[in-house]
Amino acid sequence: MVSRANGGTLAMPGPLAGVRIIDLSEGVAGPFAAKQLADLGADVIKVERPGGDPARRYGPFPGDIPHPEKSGLFIHLNTNKRSVVVDPATPSGRAIILQLAARAHALIESFPPGTLAAWGLGWDDLAAVNPRIVLTSVTPFGTAGPAAHRQATDLTLAARSSFLIAAGEPDREPVKYPGRQTELVGGLHAAWGTMVALYHADVTGEGQVVDTSILEAAVMISDQNMLSVAYWNGGGRARAGRRPLRFPPIVMPVLDGYVSLLVTDLQWPRFCRMAGLEAYAHDPQLATQRGRIERLEELEVAFLPWFLSHTKREVFEIAQRHGVPIAPFNTIAEVLDDPQFRARGYFRKMVHPVLGEITLTGPPALLTETPWELRRPAPLLDQHAEEILCGELGYRPEELLALRAEGATG
């Protein structure tokens, strides 16, 4: 058993124990990248500008009442971090961040290109105090190129990447996926790049810049991959970029909601037996998707009553017995009650100083020797100022008061 910074004990240190990260990023992608490293054991100091990370003002909130310490998004993105408020645009704030950078292995930021340099915190400034440091920038378009300084949102990045063109029904406009998927995958790419650069620094003693484009990360996971250009006469528009009609469709209504399915030609006979319609399993015209589309209306009339007479749980269990991959469209409450997650201990409970006991997502992968662990909830704004500025950087209490008076800290 080893001690941990916030008291208590930890069975085994995480794989990144001993690594210190300065998280100067805001919003979603950058904080999500830093969270990955924090959850793996790194000591992540979240440096927030006065007023805090804007994500503190994004919902969901309890009772839909905004509160800077209750944002569900902020709490999800900032577990295992410590918070200190510093204004990097002030000389004293810049000096504090350089002191933190001198003791850190990496700094993650998400400001528009050129912002850090304007504050005197660009790569040359950071490397001057710490040649081994890794500077990770995660921005909508990367730090170079004609779009580098343009505005973007998760929605506009998803649309521009081709990520959305395949979403929706044929002959209708594309639709948006829920959530912030491009920003989250951008954050994962930034975390991956940071860890690779940390390994390089450990081997060679050389720091470097990790330039992460959220748009490029979105292209990486786009359904319209690069070979679509060759396969579909230029990629996408020849097929309207969306999925063709199929039977069974990928969504079927049931007694209490919907189920999702993607039945292949090989699984078609089992699907027919599952619904008690054995005769269709032996019809040679229906053995392929093309043949089933030609008799689409007949099949919908035949199969729909069976689905509408069962709950999504019943359909799921019957389908499993027949080897057909069908899943219910779950609510998050149903996900929390899913026995698969419970069996693997995926969800974790933690006491938040304002919200009390909360449930959070667990590890992306189970490591047997260096486990992922929730050591602390997302920090309150400026919660660790004295611990970091006085306890670790050596500022005296009266100096901290002076810094606060001039607006350099919280």
Side-chain angles (χ1 to χ4, degrees):
M1 305 288 277
V2 297
S3 299
R4 65 185 189 192
N6 63 334
T9 56
L10 179 66
M12 289 182 283
L16 295 183
V19 173
R20 173 166 287 190
I21 308 291
I22 308 303
D23 179 13
L24 200 57
S25 66
E26 298 178 344
V28 175
F32 192 56
K35 166 188 166 64
Q36 305 309 311
L37 309 179
D39 290 349
L40 290 171
D43 175 19
V44 176
I45 298 176
K46 184 172 182 65
V47 178
E48 301 186 70
R49 292 188 292 172
D53 186 337
R56 290 183 179 274
R57 297 188 283 277
Y58 302 157
F61 296 101
D64 206 25
I65 301 173
H67 187 293
E69 302 297 358
K70 297 181 180 180
S71 162
L73 178 67
F74 180 86
I75 289 171
H76 172 62
L77 295 175
N78 292 285
T79 50
N80 286 330
K81 301 180 187 178
R82 298 186 288 164
S83 170
V84 59
V85 171
V86 178
D87 186 350
T90 66
S92 297
R94 171 182 180 272
I96 291 171
I97 293 173
L98 287 176
Q99 290 176 71
L100 291 172
R103 302 157 57 94
H105 296 85
L107 185 149
I108 298 175
E109 65 95 17
S110 60
F111 295 104
T115 302
L116 279 193
W119 287 334
L121 294 169
W123 166 247
D124 291 340
D125 303 294
L126 297 174
V129 300
N130 183 356
R132 296 172 58 99
I133 197 167
V134 172
L135 170 59
T136 297
S137 295
V138 51
T139 56
F141 302 102
T143 60
H149 292 274
R150 291 180 180 167
Q151 299 293 311
T153 65
D154 183 87
L155 176 60
T156 62
L157 290 167
R160 185 166 178 171
S161 72
S162 83
F163 186 58
L164 290 185
I165 196 68
E169 296 296 326
D171 303 322
R172 294 290 304 275
E173 66 280 4
V175 298
K176 182 186 182 302
Y177 286 95
R180 298 174 170 86
Q181 298 192 31
T182 66
E183 292 178 288
L184 294 174
V185 75
L188 289 176
H189 280 225
W192 173 86
T194 303
M195 283 194 280
V196 172
L198 286 173
Y199 176 78
H200 176 79
D202 190 49
V203 172
T204 67
E206 298 175 349
Q208 62 181 304
V209 174
V210 177
D211 179 4
T212 307
S213 159
I214 298 173
L215 179 67
E216 292 169 359
V219 170
M220 176 72 79
I221 62 168
S222 173
D223 193 46
Q224 308 293 300
N225 66 54
M226 295 303 103
L227 290 180
S228 301
V229 176
Y231 292 174
W232 295 349
N233 299 320
R237 295 308 303 173
R239 294 178 53 171
R242 297 171 228 171
R243 302 186 189 285
L245 286 173
R246 60 184 306 118
F247 191 87
I250 58 175
V251 179
M252 286 288 281
V254 295
L255 192 60
D256 59 346
Y258 297 90
V259 294
S260 175
L261 57 163
L262 189 61
V263 175
T264 65
D265 292 344
L266 190 63
Q267 296 160 346
W268 169 250
R270 300 202 296 271
F271 175 77
C272 296
R273 295 187 193 101
M274 176 199 80
L277 294 166
E278 179 80 23
Y280 286 105
H282 304 293
D283 188 327
Q285 186 188 5
L286 302 178
T288 65
Q289 191 61 250
R290 184 183 297 275
R292 295 195 290 274
I293 291 174
E294 291 176 358
R295 293 166 60 182
L296 186 61
E297 292 185 7
E298 172 194 346
L299 294 174
E300 288 177 339
V301 170
F303 281 84
L304 188 58
W306 184 86
F307 280 90
L308 291 176
S309 65
H310 292 80
T311 66
K312 54 187 181 182
R313 172 56 59 182
E314 291 169 344
V315 171
F316 170 72
E317 292 177 350
I318 295 171
Q320 289 298 308
R321 291 200 295 271
H322 286 80
V324 179
I326 296 180
F329 277 83
N330 281 334
T331 64
I332 193 64
E334 290 169 326
V335 169
L336 286 168
D337 195 43
D338 190 316
Q340 175 64 19
F341 292 109
R342 291 205 306 271
R344 289 173 60 85
Y346 178 68
F347 295 112
R348 307 296 172 87
K349 293 187 181 298
M350 174 160 276
V351 176
H352 184 273
V354 174
L355 290 169
E357 185 175 272
I358 56 177
T359 300
L360 298 165
T361 52
L366 299 177
L367 282 68
T368 58
E369 302 302 321
T370 51
W372 181 103
E373 180 165 344
L374 277 177
R375 305 183 306 281
R376 64 175 89 235
L380 305 181
L381 182 61
D382 207 31
Q383 180 180 349
H384 304 96
E386 292 187 18
E387 176 180 309
I388 295 168
L389 298 178
C390 298
E392 298 174 17
L393 295 187
Y395 285 88
R396 297 190 301 274
E398 58 270 25
E399 291 176 316
L400 181 56
L401 289 174
L403 288 169
R404 285 174 171 162
E406 70 177 77
T409 62

